Amino acid sequence: MTRLTALLALALALICGPLHAQEDYPNRPIRLIVPFAAGGSTDIVARIIAAKMSEILKQQVIVDNRGGAGGNLGAAAVAKAAPDGYTVLMGTVATHAINPALYTKMPYDPVKDFAPVSLLVNVPNVVIVHPSLNVKTTEELIALLKANPGKYEYASSGIGTPLHLSGALFESMAGVKMVHVPYKGAGPAMLDVVSGQVKIMFDNLPSAIGHIRKGSVVGLAVTTKDRSPAAPDLPTVSESGLPGYETYSWNAIFAPAGTPMAIIDKLAKAGAAAVADPDVKAKLADISAVSVGSTPDALAAHVKAELAKWGPVVKASGASINE
């Protein structure tokens, strides 16, 4: 082999190698990093979807829980991973919309450090009150709060969490004032609401719906644009006293920036097919998650809109974390 022939062969290998790897993708298991502890709503959603994606991609999609710093630790791990499609993130409203405004030191850029893959599901929040408050609608709650500024407390899962900021947005849009009581998680917060120690809470619908059905709390309205199929009798906040109000949790797959588009497209199609599967949709609906399955471009637009929405809310709330 001449020197020129050898150089041409090397160049061809360098060009064709990555292309073949993309065509052959995936040829080994994929790690789906969930940036929160096992057992939470993001983890549950991830495991339901990962099982179906494993079937579709014919490679195991392994859920890897990397909790800490409100989701920042797990998200940062993916941002720094090789852009080969074998380490991806189950991102949320926290990791890609709220934390960038909440934390003074971010270990990643939510836009520049990630390649959007697919918005998989939306999860409604719900406004709940203790029965002793004697309100049945959002309009009645707003009227009560306006007549008693600063008198009533609302519980959340912690400072700067989506549940805290759902309450802060409610205060801002309704022109009312409540006292925020942060807890170390939604579970302890709900215990105090059920007992009546705190009268109001903005919670994820999956964890609240059992208490609503038992009557231990009163569900006033869901926070999404449309009513939830899991609780069709509950109106939306927007249609019951606060037009334009909308908050919800969401789960989406992100890959590290620089991941080849061919791999992004394969992952996006697999994610969309997974959440469109009738059995998966039923499992997700059972925990009040609404299937979406967007394109990468649609997820990119969604993140941009969410950053613009939550930045001012975080600032107005005064919440800030120095980590």
Side-chain angles (χ1 to χ4, degrees), residues 196-207:
Q197 293 187 53
V198 180
K199 306 295 185 183
I200 304 164
M201 184 177 178
F202 296 75
D203 194 17
N204 294 134
L205 183 57
S207 57

Side-chain angles (χ1 to χ4, degrees), residues 2 6 156 314:
T2 66
S156 86
V314 173

Side-chain angles (χ1 to χ4, degrees), residues 68-284:
N72 281 356
L73 292 184
V78 174
K80 296 170 185 174
D84 56 11
Y86 290 100
T87 302
V88 296
L89 174 73
M90 183 63 84
T92 70
V93 63
T95 61
H96 278 72
I98 292 174
N99 288 1
L102 178 66
Y103 285 79
T104 57
K105 296 178 182 178
M106 282 291 289
Y108 60 86
D109 185 297
V111 175
K112 295 179 182 178
D113 290 341
F114 294 92
V117 176
S118 180
L119 175 64
L120 297 177
V121 300
N122 291 329
V123 179
N125 297 328
V126 62
V127 186
I128 59 174
V129 298
H130 189 265
S132 66
L133 206 58
N134 292 319
V135 298
K136 303 294 184 185
T137 67
T138 303
E139 294 97 329
E140 291 178 359
L141 177 61
I142 292 172
L144 178 68
L145 295 173
K146 283 187 173 181
N148 300 274
K151 178 180 178 181
Y152 292 99
E153 300 170 327
Y154 76 97
S156 86
S157 51
I159 294 174
T161 61
L163 302 183
H164 167 207
L165 296 174
S166 291
L169 182 63
F170 185 91
E171 287 183 285
S172 175
M173 291 184 66
V176 298
K177 181 62 179 174
M178 298 180 284
V179 177
H180 175 227
V181 182
Y183 288 78
K184 293 182 178 180
M190 177 61 80
L191 286 175
D192 273 8
V193 175
V194 169
S195 69
Q197 293 187 53
V198 180
K199 306 295 185 183
I200 304 164
M201 184 177 178
F202 296 75
D203 194 17
N204 294 134
L205 183 57
S207 57
I209 195 164
H211 296 285
I212 294 171
R213 288 169 176 165
K214 287 189 294 185
S216 51
V217 298
V218 178
L220 301 185
V222 293
T223 63
T224 40
K225 182 180 179 181
D226 301 311
R227 294 193 182 200
S228 169
D233 292 336
L234 281 179
T236 67
V237 173
S238 184
E239 73 180 281
S240 57
L242 204 56
Y245 180 91
E246 182 183 13
T247 73
Y248 53 91
S249 297
W250 48 264
N251 297 118
I253 292 181
F254 295 87
T259 302
M261 201 62 218
I263 290 175
I264 296 295
D265 285 339
K266 276 191 178 181
L267 284 169
K269 288 175 181 176
V275 298
D277 178 83
D279 289 339
V280 171
K281 286 186 77 170
K283 289 177 181 177
L284 292 171

